[in-house]
């Protein structure tokens, strides 16, 4: 998701900003720190998190240096006890926490699936020793933590999926292809590998001509090495161990070309990984749960795919 400008807390006024945040928080479960103590690989720096536009009905958080995870538990749990970890999009400049996070979590709760929304750190040399792997570290930490605490959440540790939107889709795809080398030494490959992936209008490749320039610049810098471009182009990292994947995209997406999803689907097909790709004729980019150009709801297609693959009943 692309945006212009940003509003610091002070621009709205302290009381106005706090009122807006309170109204959002009142409707959501409490967020918890993603790490129990110090954040590995972090540089001590002031918390400069802000909201892009406090008047926007879809809160968009910028400059996150303190990652969080928020648990959503269904009223009635599906017998197979699956769970999903959710990575909102934001071009690696922020996260669309409501539209591509909290709302999505509630949709999975309606399926009986426990959901965890992650506000991962924005790549930045200000608060990360290595910004290229900072978001990946957070995504791996979320998967491993949910799996470790499976008994607490009453979920099956072998049924933990990962869904990502836009740049969050890139983060999900790299998590699903780079699990062989966990960023943090305490985790094993089996701890951080998602069991299935769902990628919604994802950034996939950092190669020309179909890359999303903004996401690549934010994660790798404006002059990345050829090795980093290859390393973080998820379609080039697919192996026979990549998780089964569900993909959604709009053909008229002018922000992240639909070729991104097609490239990943083709790579999955070459490795005989079960995959489903659905392309809407229209809808653009960043439509969240609801593509306004159609009465079809992709989340229902996702539910059907999860059933067909045996992840939910």
């Amino acid at each position: 998701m692309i945006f212009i400008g940003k509003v610091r807390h002070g621009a709205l006024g302290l009381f106005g900003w706090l009122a807006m945040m309170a109204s959002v928080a009142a409707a959501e479960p409490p967020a918890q720190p993603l790490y129990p103590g110090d954040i590995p690989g972090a540089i001590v720096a002031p918390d400069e998190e802000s909201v892009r536009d406090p008047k926007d009905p879809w809160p968009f958080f910028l400059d996150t240096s303190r990652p969080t995870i928020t648990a959503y538990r269904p009223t009635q749990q599906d017998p197979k006890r699956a769970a999903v970890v959710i990575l909102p999009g934001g071009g690696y400049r922020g996260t669309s926490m409501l539209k591509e996070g909290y709302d999505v979590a509630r949709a999975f709760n309606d399926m009986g699936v426990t959901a965890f929304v992650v506000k991962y750190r924005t790549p930045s040399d200000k608060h990360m020793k290595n910004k290229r792997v900072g978001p990946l570290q957070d995504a791996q930490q979320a998967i491993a933590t949910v799996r470790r605490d499976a008994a607490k959440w009453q979920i099956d540790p072998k049924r933990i999926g990962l869904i990502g939107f836009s740049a969050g889709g890139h983060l999900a795809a790299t998590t699903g292809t780079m699990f062989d080398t966990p960023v943090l030494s305490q985790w094993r490959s089996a701890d951080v590998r998602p069991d299935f992936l769902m990628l919604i209008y994802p950034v996939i490749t950092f190669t020309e001509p179909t890359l999303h320039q903004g996401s690549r610049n934010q994660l790798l810098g404006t002059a990345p090495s050829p090795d980093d471009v290859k390393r973080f182009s998820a379609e080039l990292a697919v192996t026979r161990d990549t998780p089964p994947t569900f993909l959604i995209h709009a053909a008229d997406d002018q922000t992240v070309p639909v070729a991104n999803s097609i490239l990943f689907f083709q790579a999955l097909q070459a490795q005989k990984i079960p995959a489903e790709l659905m392309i809407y004729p229209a809808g653009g980019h960043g439509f969240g749960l609801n593509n306004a150009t159609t009465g079809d709801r992709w989340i229902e297609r996702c539910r059907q795919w999860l059933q067909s693959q045996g992840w939910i009943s």
Side-chain angles (χ1 to χ4, degrees):
M1 184 174 294
I2 301 302
F3 50 86
I4 301 173
K6 59 183 179 181
V7 176
R8 293 280 177 201
H9 299 174
L12 178 66
L14 177 61
F15 292 109
W17 186 86
L18 288 175
M20 186 279 296
M21 291 302 298
S23 65
V24 172
E28 311 302 338
Q32 301 297 326
L34 183 58
Y35 298 89
D38 293 339
I39 303 169
I43 296 172
V44 177
D47 183 357
E48 296 184 335
E49 184 175 88
S50 63
V51 179
R52 180 183 63 187
D53 181 358
K55 297 179 182 178
D56 190 338
W58 309 106
F60 193 102
F61 292 84
L62 303 167
D63 300 323
T64 296
S65 60
R66 276 69 166 169
T68 65
I69 186 167
T70 306
Y72 286 74
R73 306 186 76 169
T75 302
Q76 184 171 351
Q77 189 176 39
D78 182 84
K80 293 196 173 182
R81 299 183 298 127
V84 296
V85 174
I86 302 170
L87 303 174
Y92 281 125
R93 295 187 67 184
T95 45
S96 181
M97 291 299 292
L98 178 60
K99 188 177 185 180
E100 296 172 349
Y102 307 146
D103 285 353
V104 177
R106 285 187 284 266
F108 277 105
N109 282 176
D110 290 342
M111 302 180 202
V113 175
T114 304
F116 300 85
V117 180
V118 179
K119 183 166 64 173
Y120 51 90
R121 288 174 293 161
T122 308
S124 172
D125 293 326
K126 290 182 179 179
H127 56 77
M128 290 179 176
K129 294 177 181 178
N130 183 352
K131 73 175 185 177
R132 296 172 301 170
V133 298
L136 178 61
Q137 174 186 308
D138 292 352
Q140 290 185 345
Q141 173 75 7
I143 292 285
T145 300
V146 169
R147 183 166 279 131
R148 180 197 64 195
D149 296 339
K152 169 185 174 181
W153 301 111
Q154 298 180 314
I155 60 175
D156 185 340
K158 296 181 180 179
R159 295 178 185 273
I160 298 174
L162 185 61
I163 183 169
F165 296 75
S166 193
H170 179 266
L171 182 53
T174 53
T175 305
T177 54
M178 296 173 68
F179 53 83
D180 280 342
T181 53
V183 179
L184 299 177
S185 60
Q186 67 263 37
W187 301 124
R188 303 168 302 152
S189 174
D191 297 324
V192 301
R193 178 186 181 274
D195 295 302
F196 52 93
L197 294 174
M198 295 156 287
L199 309 178
I200 317 303
Y201 39 84
V203 175
I204 292 294
T205 189
F206 279 168
T207 63
E208 301 285 357
T210 54
L211 82 161
H212 179 242
Q213 191 73 54
S215 293
R216 192 177 82 172
N217 288 353
Q218 283 295 119
L219 190 66
L220 303 183
T222 56
S225 70
D227 286 345
D228 274 347
V229 169
K230 180 179 179 180
R231 179 187 179 195
F232 288 95
S233 291
E235 81 280 10
L236 302 178
V238 171
T239 70
R240 62 184 180 181
D241 295 322
T242 301
T245 304
F246 174 85
L247 299 108
I248 290 287
H249 222 117
D252 67 346
D253 191 331
Q254 299 299 306
T255 302
V256 178
V258 68
N260 280 263
S261 284
I262 294 172
L263 283 171
F264 200 71
F265 178 78
Q266 290 174 329
L268 293 166
Q269 288 291 98
Q271 294 291 338
K272 303 188 185 312
I273 304 295
E276 181 170 323
L277 168 61
M278 182 175 178
I279 300 176
Y280 288 115
H285 189 73
F287 48 77
L289 284 173
N290 300 304
N291 182 341
T293 70
T294 175
D296 184 81
R297 298 189 75 242
W298 66 260
I299 193 68
E300 182 63 18
R301 306 293 185 186
C302 184
R303 180 185 66 81
Q304 293 166 357
W305 178 78
L306 290 169
Q307 288 177 325
S308 71
Q309 297 297 304
W311 298 113
I312 64 175
S313 60

